[in-house]
Amino acid sequence: MAAGEAVSGALLVAEALRAQNIEYMFGIVGIPVTEIAVAAQAVGIKYIGMRNEQAACYAASAIGYLTGRPGVCLVVSGPGFLHALGGMANATVNCWPLIVIGGSSDRNQETMGAFQEFPQVEAGRLYNKLSVRPSSLEVIPAVIEKAVRTSMYGRPGSCYIDIPGDFVNLEVNKSSVKYVECCPPPPTSMAEHSAVSKAVSIIAHAKQPLLIIGKGAAYSHAENNIRKLVDLCGLPFLPTPMAKGVVPDNHPNCVAAARSTALQHADVVILLGARLNWILHFGLPPRFRKDVKVIQIDICAEELGNNVRPAAALLGDINAVTKQLLEEFSKRLLKYPSNSEWWKKLREKIKNNEERSKELALQKSLPMNYYTVFHHIRELIPKDSILVSEGANTMDIGRTMLPNYYPRQRLDAGTFGTMGVGLGFAIAAALVAKDRTPEKRVICIEGDSAFGFSGMEVETICRYNLPIVIIVVNNNGIYTGLNADNWKEMLQYGDPATCVPPVSLLPNSHYEEIMSAFGGKGYFVKTPEELQKALKASMTDKQTPSLINVMIDPQSDRKKQEFPWLTRSNL
């Protein structure tokens, strides 16, 4: 464009996003943002039209985790903005970079009861690191650069940009626009040398050490240094759910199969990008020893000392700090002995738990249980598959049964425990894989309840021809369900609203027909043989989306646990 040429607000938004190396935009168009989506496509941003703003926001946030650069969610005013709040909160709690752009009422109609008028900037502040409305068209590029930078720097999270409806088609002279360069990746911060030395000394004197790897380590691409640290030091390690694969699950030092024992008896715990929140039972007894020493490594200063006072606190980028630890260990030639009593105890527990899981997986009875289903999935999907999973038992048992060998290839309900993320995450993962590693398959494993939150995104998957394999593990309910006979028996007592248990869903629902309706392949499965056949067909066809609806015993449950998975207060 010539220097004196006019440019619209919609094009300014699109060009500013492209200047910040934004690749993907998800959303649902309508008044007043349709022109922004069109402009985004014109400048080379891929626009993926979704069926629900929540799913669009989940997809955009997953882009941030998978690429390190935020995805964008574009929503209309009022209800569209409100529907996206779940995705904003999920991204911020998960520490994933995200940009949400929402249209809003025209400025000259504020307080007048305008179409879908809502105080979006104010409402967004609770869910975002930054919630802002540009004061003029001229500052849009600067505001977008700040939002992108804020979403990535420090602890990543969501940022919201409000665009008044009258800004979209309003034009301004390009020469008056405040253009800014692309913000670089976050600067790398390192821990103080004294803190590193203190941490290594504590680890050196540990009798029963445990390394806990969090998804912050996956996000910081620390896998090479962490693998070296594990091999050099001989430490047992436990990955949190989305950190699976930072070090392969089949590494001999992985103690995921002895999780409760490892947490309960470790005398020194090293947290690499993991938080002592509900997922790790707050670091408190009885799941942890009262005298456990915690070495905390985190990018966020405010996280240090949360719930448990650390014996050593290392503030910095996980990859950089891990390298510092490696260098210190190399100087001291320290290695934890593989024949210690601690290792013997962990290996014995691993063996017992794996045998119990194998016993459940090989049961021949019908309907199938969770373990049988996951056994066959594990046998037939590629080892480098990107696994997306959500649901209660489906996600939790799948986490133990389906190994990950590579980092950033497991996405699930995350820190916020959000249901409904599955198909959005799968769409994002499939788009990234298509552009970067097209040989990878995306396998989305859903409970039937979880699938219901975003099931219409199957149409989005088919529209963009994303070869995602969806596996619905169907137990006719939430946690547990009823079989067809028990369902009919319940209905004899009257209105299902008063007689049917709240956890129950309609038995034998044919979710696979949703996929078939939009041109994908659908399979209804009741036996291991049918499951194997459907999986093989889905893996062979790398062009067509598929959905395998797997019926299991409605009363199937996880094996008995030493502790409940969710810590509750005794107060």
Side-chain angles (χ1 to χ4, degrees):
M1 285 186 178
E5 194 171 341
V7 59
S8 70
L11 188 56
L12 268 178
V13 170
E15 288 181 337
L17 291 171
R18 196 72 192 100
Q20 298 303 319
N21 287 339
I22 299 300
E23 297 181 73
Y24 305 96
M25 177 183 286
F26 303 82
I28 298 178
V29 295
I31 297 170
V33 299
T34 302
E35 291 86 349
I36 295 176
V38 173
Q41 288 181 317
V43 301
I45 295 172
K46 294 183 178 181
Y47 175 80
I48 298 89
M50 305 285 282
R51 301 303 301 264
N52 180 279
E53 288 93 353
Q54 273 190 323
C57 211
Y58 296 143
S61 68
I63 291 291
Y65 174 65
L66 293 168
T67 71
R69 205 93 188 164
V72 172
C73 177
L74 180 69
V75 297
V76 300
S77 51
F81 165 83
L82 286 170
H83 292 169
L85 287 178
M88 297 181 211
N90 190 67
T92 297
V93 173
N94 260 355
C95 308
W96 291 357
L98 166 70
I99 301 296
V100 177
I101 296 177
S104 60
S105 308
D106 290 7
R107 290 170 300 167
N108 64 359
Q109 295 178 353
E110 284 187 357
T111 74
M112 296 177 65
F115 175 66
Q116 296 183 334
E117 184 177 359
F118 191 76
Q120 293 170 194
V121 176
E122 295 89 335
R125 290 196 176 105
L126 185 61
Y127 306 89
N128 295 276
K129 292 182 69 179
L130 176 72
S131 186
V132 62
R133 171 190 280 191
S135 58
S136 65
L137 265 63
E138 287 86 348
V139 301
I140 283 176
V143 168
I144 286 177
E145 186 274 341
K146 181 172 183 178
V148 171
R149 175 163 39 86
T150 303
S151 76
M152 296 189 301
Y153 282 31
R155 172 178 278 177
S158 176
C159 291
Y160 174 68
I161 304 171
D162 193 73
I163 304 294
D166 55 308
F167 270 23
V168 174
N169 292 311
L170 190 66
E171 294 187 339
V172 67
N173 193 304
K174 193 171 184 181
S175 62
S176 65
V177 175
K178 184 182 178 182
Y179 287 101
V180 290
E181 294 181 356
C182 180
C183 71
T188 301
S189 55
M190 300 174 70
E192 294 180 359
H193 179 71
S194 59
V196 175
S197 296
K198 183 179 181 181
V200 172
S201 294
I202 294 170
I203 297 169
H205 290 91
K207 302 295 184 185
Q208 298 182 166
L210 177 64
L211 179 67
I212 299 180
I213 304 171
K215 71 174 178 292
Y219 181 77
S220 69
H221 289 248
E223 55 268 17
N224 291 336
N225 282 327
I226 293 177
R227 174 70 181 267
K228 290 176 184 176
L229 182 66
V230 169
D231 290 338
L232 176 67
C233 303
L235 297 173
F237 75 88
L238 174 69
T240 61
M242 272 190 274
K244 282 165 59 68
V246 169
V247 182
D249 283 346
N250 63 349
H251 190 285
N253 288 39
C254 181
V255 295
R259 183 181 189 273
S260 292
T261 298
L263 293 177
Q264 191 178 15
H265 298 286
D267 62 350
V268 172
V269 168
I270 305 102
L271 295 172
L272 277 173
R275 288 173 280 174
L276 289 177
N277 54 23
W278 68 273
I279 293 175
L280 290 174
H281 316 283
F282 315 110
L284 300 173
R287 297 302 296 263
F288 287 79
R289 287 170 49 151
K290 289 182 179 179
D291 61 347
V292 65
K293 293 181 179 178
V294 174
I295 296 169
Q296 198 170 7
I297 305 164
D298 204 284
I299 191 69
C300 178
E302 291 83 355
E303 187 63 35
L304 301 175
N306 194 33
N307 295 327
V308 174
R309 179 68 59 189
L314 285 69
L315 177 64
D317 173 78
I318 304 301
N319 191 30
V321 176
T322 304
K323 187 175 181 181
Q324 289 179 280
L325 289 170
L326 264 173
E327 292 169 353
E328 192 69 21
F329 270 106
S330 298
K331 292 176 188 175
R332 303 193 189 194
L333 299 175
L334 295 170
K335 184 156 187 175
Y336 186 72
S338 60
N339 61 349
S340 67
E341 288 300 315
W342 179 227
W343 261 123
K344 290 177 184 176
K345 185 174 188 174
L346 290 171
R347 289 186 182 119
E348 182 181 356
K349 193 65 178 179
I350 289 169
K351 182 181 178 182
N352 291 340
N353 283 341
E354 287 180 343
E355 286 176 353
R356 177 62 179 141
S357 294
K358 185 177 181 180
E359 179 185 331
L360 289 167
L362 297 179
Q363 285 183 0
K364 301 294 185 181
S365 59
L366 293 176
M368 293 181 284
N369 63 42
Y370 285 103
Y371 294 86
T372 302
V373 171
F374 287 123
H375 168 74
H376 291 292
I377 294 173
R378 182 179 62 203
E379 294 297 309
L380 292 172
I381 64 173
K383 284 190 172 184
D384 64 348
S385 296
I386 300 171
L387 298 177
V388 179
S389 185
E390 65 172 329
N393 289 338
T394 298
M395 181 176 65
D396 294 335
I397 298 172
R399 185 184 302 140
T400 66
M401 292 288 292
L402 299 177
N404 287 86
Y405 303 97
Y406 303 95
R408 295 169 297 281
Q409 291 192 190
R410 180 181 169 84
L411 298 162
D412 67 19
T415 311
F416 210 29
T418 308
M419 291 294 103
V421 296
L423 296 193
F425 283 3
I427 289 167
L431 289 164
V432 173
K434 183 178 180 181
D435 290 343
R436 290 164 169 76
T437 53
E439 71 282 358
K440 288 192 186 298
R441 302 304 304 273
V442 176
I443 315 294
C444 182
I445 305 170
E446 304 264 297
D448 50 328
S449 171
F451 177 76
F453 281 83
S454 56
M456 275 304 292
E457 298 304 334
V458 165
E459 187 274 333
T460 307
I461 291 169
C462 290
R463 187 173 3 122
Y464 291 98
N465 198 32
L466 300 173
I468 297 167
V469 178
I470 302 171
I471 302 171
V472 177
V473 184
N474 189 346
N475 70 343
N476 300 335
I478 304 168
Y479 304 116
T480 59
L482 298 172
N483 62 34
D485 291 338
N486 288 339
W487 176 268
K488 290 178 182 177
E489 186 178 328
M490 286 286 179
L491 295 184
Q492 293 176 4
Y493 294 98
D495 187 344
T498 57
C499 298
V500 173
V503 294
S504 299
L505 299 173
L506 190 67
N508 303 326
S509 294
H510 282 264
Y511 298 112
E512 79 285 352
E513 292 184 2
I514 299 175
M515 179 65 81
S516 301
F518 298 116
K521 299 282 183 66
Y523 303 90
F524 187 74
V525 163
K526 288 187 173 182
T527 68
E529 294 75 22
E530 292 172 346
L531 175 58
Q532 290 173 356
K533 185 177 179 181
L535 281 167
K536 288 175 182 176
S538 298
M539 292 301 115
T540 301
D541 188 347
K542 298 183 179 181
Q543 305 299 321
T544 309
S546 60
L547 190 154
I548 305 171
N549 185 14
V550 186
M551 304 306 302
I552 67 167
D553 183 351
Q555 300 303 310
S556 180
D557 203 350
R558 70 189 79 189
K559 64 179 186 289
K560 187 176 180 181
Q561 296 174 292
E562 294 178 42
F563 288 93
W565 67 271
L566 183 62
T567 301
R568 294 188 181 279
S569 172
N570 292 321
L571 299 178

